[in-house]
DNA sequence: CAAATTAACTTGTAATTACAAGTTGAAAAT
DNA sequence: ATTTTCAACTTGTAATTACAAGTTAATTTG
């Protein structure tokens, strides 16, 4: 396969930033230095750097250089946040049903392209717990396109985003989300271990990725009693 | 003033798209044509077009051309969307309490800077109705900084965003939002004309603007029975 | 010594050239 | 008439050159 030089350089530099070779606040090598070390010309280097700026990995300063930044990831995507207590330590992911190949629901929560409909659907149900208390009940839907070995993977306590990024080179580029407040009933109340008619949040989300025409979807029920859904934009 | 050629071209083309000279779906003149008509070279044209792509005004297709698109504005900000019926026509805004100067709640829903706390608060309560049915109950909090005549303005059926943009040159740049599902009680149930204990959505939002150190806030209760909160990211 | 200058960096803008690669429709072959 | 081929578009990638303009630190000047 033929990968453009600026894309190669871009992923090399991004890798160096992500692995910590270049740390936050560091000055990246100058454009001319990068030209020499990677044997390309300045327009090519600049194309790679512009991508990094766009993604938030660096900030450029006229006359000074490129400074490494931490990209504020998942902007706009709502994610969990503790209301008061510390969060992050005791987050668990429990698999209810492992990924399996199924038909798309009809009608589906979002409009599907012909390609997506024809390729079928990989479905998967998970619960997220904080301090052993269930907070999310999430159903994920992925089109069954070039995801070899996906169903065999172990998702227990692993991030779907990271797995898609690491093993399939798929990054989230954007998407659409819809929110409703509903009351917990039957299965959902059971999974979230709350009483019937308690208010919960229902979030339907479409994720558009870096892989052309590849989107995936999720339907998520959240008990917002102790934690909120929050996000930057 | 010295404005780069690619920026000039960029704003010319953006203007043409916004005024409708190039409509959605139209094919933009080719890069070489733009070179001739604007008397610049292709790298310059491409730089201008790349900006337009980044902003969502056009999509480029290898071998084909640049197709005009409508940028999905207010990305990340959740806004109202009808579930089925047509929306947009029958949206009303009703003022519950006109803007008035008050003290900030303590504690406030977001952390405030010293400047904000000292300047005091402009408070305002509104209800949004669709087809005469209340959907939002919204309290807005603005720091009382350089907003001369704000309390005297008429907000009935007017967009706060547009007023801030038009009369004060303030544009929304980003922000943070938090979501919870709760049950309607007392005042809120009354304003939204729903029964007690019905599930509603509570959204707390901080808006960061183009004016340095100027942010404003809102607390919003939404009946998501017939309409959802939705947004792109 | 302190201030001003300058030289040596940095990124920003821009023209020029060349070829690769996807798209489309007209011309040629079947 | 239908298919195939191809020429004429389009955008994508990349090297080269040149100068403008912001930043920094060493050097010169007062």
């Amino acid at each position: 396969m033929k990968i453009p030089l600026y894309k190669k350089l871009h992923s090399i530099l991004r890798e160096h930033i992500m692995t910590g070779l270049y740390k936050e606040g560091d000055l990246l090598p100058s454009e001319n230095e990068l030209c020499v070390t990677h044997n390309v010309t300045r327009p090519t280097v600049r194309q790679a750097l512009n991508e990094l700026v766009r993604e938030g990995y660096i900030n450029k300063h006229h006359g000074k250089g490129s400074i490494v930044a931490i990209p504020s990831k998942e902007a706009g995507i709502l994610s969990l946040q503790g209301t008061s207590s510390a969060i992050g330590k005791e987050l668990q992911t429990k698999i209810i049903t492992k990924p399996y190949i199924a038909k798309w629901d009809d009608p589906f929560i979002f409009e599907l392209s012909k390609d997506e409909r024809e390729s079928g659907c990989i479905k998967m149900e998970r619960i997220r717990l904080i301090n052993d208390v269930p907070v999310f009940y999430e159903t994920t839907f992925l089109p069954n396109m070039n995801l070899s070995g996906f169903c065999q993977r172990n998702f227990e306590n692993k991030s779907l985003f990271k797995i898609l990024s690491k093993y399939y080179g798929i990054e989230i580029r954007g998407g659409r989300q819809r929110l409703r407040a509903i009351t917990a009933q039957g299965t959902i109340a059971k999974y979230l271990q709350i009483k019937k008619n308690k208010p919960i949040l229902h979030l339907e989300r479409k994720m558009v990725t870096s892989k052309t025409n590849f989107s995936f979807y999720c339907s998520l029920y959240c008990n917002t009693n102790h934690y909120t859904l929050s996000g930057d934009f």
Side-chain angles (χ1 to χ4, degrees), chain A:
Chain A
M1 55 179 170
K2 190 89 194 67
I3 296 174
L5 296 179
Y6 78 92
K7 281 189 183 170
K8 282 190 205 170
L9 178 55
H10 166 257
S11 57
I12 289 171
L13 293 173
R14 192 183 53 183
E15 202 59 26
H16 284 173
I17 291 170
M18 288 200 294
T19 57
L21 208 159
Y22 301 128
K23 291 175 204 66
E24 191 187 350
D26 282 4
L27 211 55
L28 226 57
S30 79
E31 296 181 353
N32 282 318
E33 286 179 284
L34 290 171
C35 288
V36 176
T37 57
H38 294 88
N39 200 32
V40 290
T41 55
R42 200 147 84 91
T44 307
V45 168
R46 286 179 64 77
Q47 218 170 336
L49 293 183
N50 281 339
E51 274 294 297
L52 292 174
V53 170
R54 232 178 32 77
E55 295 167 342
Y57 286 105
I58 61 171
N59 294 311
K60 302 188 82 180
H61 297 278
H62 190 176
K64 207 172 173 189
S66 301
I67 290 170
V68 177
I70 33 148
S72 68
K73 50 189 80 170
E74 294 170 15
I77 301 182
L78 294 167
S79 56
L80 213 56
Q81 197 197 37
T83 44
S84 54
S85 66
I87 196 173
K89 284 224 166 177
E90 297 300 333
L91 197 141
Q92 273 182 292
T93 306
K94 206 165 125 188
I95 311 293
I96 300 299
T97 59
K98 285 187 187 170
Y100 65 100
I101 292 167
K103 286 215 163 196
W104 292 100
D105 293 353
D106 192 25
F108 191 60
I109 49 174
F110 286 91
E111 209 175 314
L112 294 169
S113 71
K114 215 184 72 183
D115 272 3
E116 288 177 310
R117 237 192 333 270
E118 284 170 358
S119 58
C121 170
I122 297 177
K123 218 163 159 177
M124 162 185 194
E125 290 174 282
R126 294 180 296 172
I127 292 178
R128 307 288 181 97
L129 307 97
I130 296 176
N131 299 323
D132 296 312
V133 179
V135 178
F136 277 5
Y137 164 59
E138 183 175 8
T139 309
T140 310
F141 307 86
L142 301 101
N144 189 13
M145 295 161 84
N146 297 87
L147 294 175
S148 59
F150 187 84
C151 292
Q152 276 71 53
R153 275 190 196 287
N154 175 22
F155 289 91
E156 205 85 28
N157 294 323
K158 297 225 173 105
S159 160
L160 173 63
F161 288 11
K162 279 180 190 156
I163 286 173
L164 284 173
S165 166
K166 193 165 179 181
Y167 299 107
Y168 301 97
I170 294 170
E171 305 283 348
I172 283 90
R173 282 289 147 81
R176 181 154 193 78
Q177 54 196 355
R178 272 197 302 263
L179 283 141
R180 265 194 203 79
I182 60 168
T183 50
Q185 303 297 336
T187 327
I188 294 157
K190 196 188 80 190
Y191 281 134
L192 293 178
Q193 292 174 22
I194 50 172
K195 291 208 187 84
K196 256 184 84 168
N197 295 321
K198 283 277 172 188
I200 56 170
L201 224 153
H202 183 203
L203 166 62
E204 294 172 326
R205 191 190 277 164
K206 173 181 183 170
M207 310 285 225
V208 179
T209 71
S210 53
K211 202 172 153 187
T212 42
N213 301 318
F214 186 90
S215 297
F216 64 95
Y217 308 86
C218 89
S219 173
L220 186 152
Y221 299 91
C222 179
N223 175 9
T224 54
N225 213 4
H226 303 295
Y227 301 93
T228 58
L229 269 183
S230 87
D232 296 310
F233 58 88

